Amino acid sequence: MANTVRVAAAQMTSINDLAANFATCSRLVKEAASAGAKLICFPENFSYVGDLAGDSLKVAQPLDGPIMKEYCSLARDSNMWLSLGGFQEKGPDDAHLCNAHVLIDDAGTIRSVFRKMHLFDVDVPGSAVYKESSFTEAGKEIVAVDSPFGRLGLTVCYDLRFPELYQQLRFHHNAQVLLVPAAFTKPTGQAHWEILLRARAIETQCYVIAAAQAGKHNDKRESYGDTLIIDPWGTIVGRLPDRLSTGIAVADIDFSFIDSVRAKMPICQVRRDRSKHTLNLHRFWSICNACNGMQLCNCIVRKFMKPSLID
């Protein structure tokens, strides 16, 4: 593996037109190739943003369907790896889809798929109420995959607010680069987007590539934008000059810099793995039920607690 490798992160405003969105993606792939990048990361819902509730279910397809085959051909024809975060994959039944982050290599082969774990069920202040779980099946598997761009940790949008996922990717799955394709709302993006991304980079000592939807998709939906690439020290190394424009941010992944940051601040050596010190609450509650809840604390202390586990 080369010591540095160039990557690109796309920013776009997807609409309810599959062909138009594919044309935009194709153009951005060409821009990335001209800039010397070998990987381009697209935002959540890159292929489609519907106007009405239920539109996404109507366009959902399996990963071997014609939509994804078209993007596999694009990767192969352009000799480019594609990170396609937030594809409407046909779900387990007609009422649900999966929000799938699909990684395709430069031969047009799907290398890995991550399905969004944390679904956006939120009443956004000053905006709309979202209930992603009403039509989306949550993913259950953490995904990291080797590539010419380092070991990649795959996530999608709202996953960003759950740092334990990123801790798992770094410390249990050896990720070096974290991918965060997103379509943040305007209010949440203004308040938290950059802060959260830089925090994930700093606490994991990984590069973060965050491709973002930007601007007004239709009369009801608007995304914050601000595509970013951040290094393991938390420095922004790639950013579009216009937060809402369609285009690409480009930066180099420097593997020696990852090693340097981790060597000079070796958090991995002193980090306490909380998973080894977390007691099984399901076992606690079974005991609580057995004694009708009257001696919960005594049950816990007597049967499970050890002095070494008490902070």
Side-chain angles (χ1 to χ4, degrees):
M1 184 185 296
N3 206 41
T4 63
V5 61
R6 183 156 294 180
V7 298
Q11 185 167 285
M12 61 190 295
T13 309
S14 297
I15 58 175
N16 64 340
D17 186 325
L18 290 164
N21 295 329
F22 181 77
T24 298
C25 291
S26 298
R27 175 169 61 83
L28 294 176
V29 166
K30 290 179 181 178
E31 288 186 23
S34 297
K38 295 298 183 182
L39 163 70
I40 180 169
C41 301
F42 285 98
E44 185 181 28
N45 300 330
F46 64 96
S47 64
Y48 186 84
V49 171
D51 287 345
L52 303 173
D55 283 355
S56 293
L57 283 170
K58 294 177 183 177
V59 302
Q61 292 186 4
L63 295 181
D64 60 356
I67 296 175
M68 191 52 62
K69 283 184 177 179
E70 196 169 28
Y71 282 92
C72 287
S73 296
L74 176 61
R76 182 177 60 252
D77 295 344
S78 59
N79 195 34
M80 181 81 69
W81 283 63
L82 305 182
S83 161
L84 303 173
F87 174 69
Q88 292 93 353
E89 179 191 9
K90 190 171 180 59
D93 54 59
D94 292 339
H96 293 85
L97 55 77
C98 293
N99 192 336
H101 183 168
V102 184
L103 184 69
I104 304 174
D105 67 19
D106 53 5
T109 302
I110 294 176
R111 281 295 189 94
S112 193
V113 180
F114 167 82
R115 294 171 178 88
K116 186 177 183 180
M117 299 180 75
H118 303 94
L119 303 182
F120 194 54
D121 291 356
V122 177
D123 184 351
V124 177
S127 184
V129 176
Y130 297 85
K131 190 72 172 176
E132 188 176 16
S133 65
S134 68
F135 62 91
T136 306
E137 180 84 4
K140 299 177 177 63
E141 300 295 329
I142 295 175
V143 174
V145 59
D146 290 322
S147 77
F149 321 98
R151 187 156 175 82
L152 306 177
L154 277 59
T155 69
V156 177
C157 199
Y158 195 49
D159 288 324
L160 179 62
R161 292 186 181 272
F162 300 87
E164 60 272 15
L165 171 59
Y166 297 85
Q167 297 286 313
Q168 287 279 329
L169 284 167
R170 161 69 206 278
F171 296 108
H172 295 275
H173 296 268
N174 302 313
Q176 297 169 296
V177 180
L178 304 172
L179 307 184
V180 191
F184 257 51
T185 68
K186 185 176 179 180
T188 58
Q190 288 175 331
H192 303 145
W193 173 245
E194 180 181 325
I195 296 169
L196 287 169
L197 290 167
R198 294 181 70 186
R200 296 297 89 84
I202 293 165
E203 69 195 9
T204 63
Q205 300 175 320
C206 291
Y207 279 90
V208 170
I209 305 176
Q213 290 283 350
K216 297 198 73 171
H217 308 279
N218 51 55
D219 291 339
K220 297 181 180 180
R221 183 165 178 178
E222 182 176 5
S223 294
Y224 178 68
D226 200 17
T227 287
L228 297 172
I229 303 174
I230 303 168
D231 74 16
W233 193 244
T235 303
I236 296 171
V237 293
R239 187 179 218 162
L240 271 75
D242 182 346
R243 176 174 64 82
L244 297 177
S245 65
T246 295
I248 60 169
V250 177
D252 292 330
I253 303 297
D254 185 338
F255 298 105
S256 63
F257 185 66
I258 297 174
D259 294 339
S260 174
V261 168
R262 294 179 178 184
K264 292 177 180 178
M265 188 175 289
I267 59 176
C268 191
Q269 295 179 20
V270 297
R271 174 180 176 271
R272 292 186 64 190
D273 188 344
R274 291 293 177 181
S275 66
K276 296 178 181 178
H277 302 286
T278 299
L279 298 170
N280 190 325
L281 293 181
H282 293 295
R283 294 173 68 192
F284 290 170
W285 285 115
S286 66
I287 287 179
C288 176
N289 292 334
C291 63
N292 297 316
M294 297 301 293
Q295 301 176 24
L296 175 59
C297 293
N298 289 336
C299 287
I300 292 173
V301 172
R302 184 174 65 253
K303 295 206 177 275
F304 295 109
M305 279 290 195
K306 295 180 181 179
S308 63
L309 299 185
I310 302 175
D311 291 332

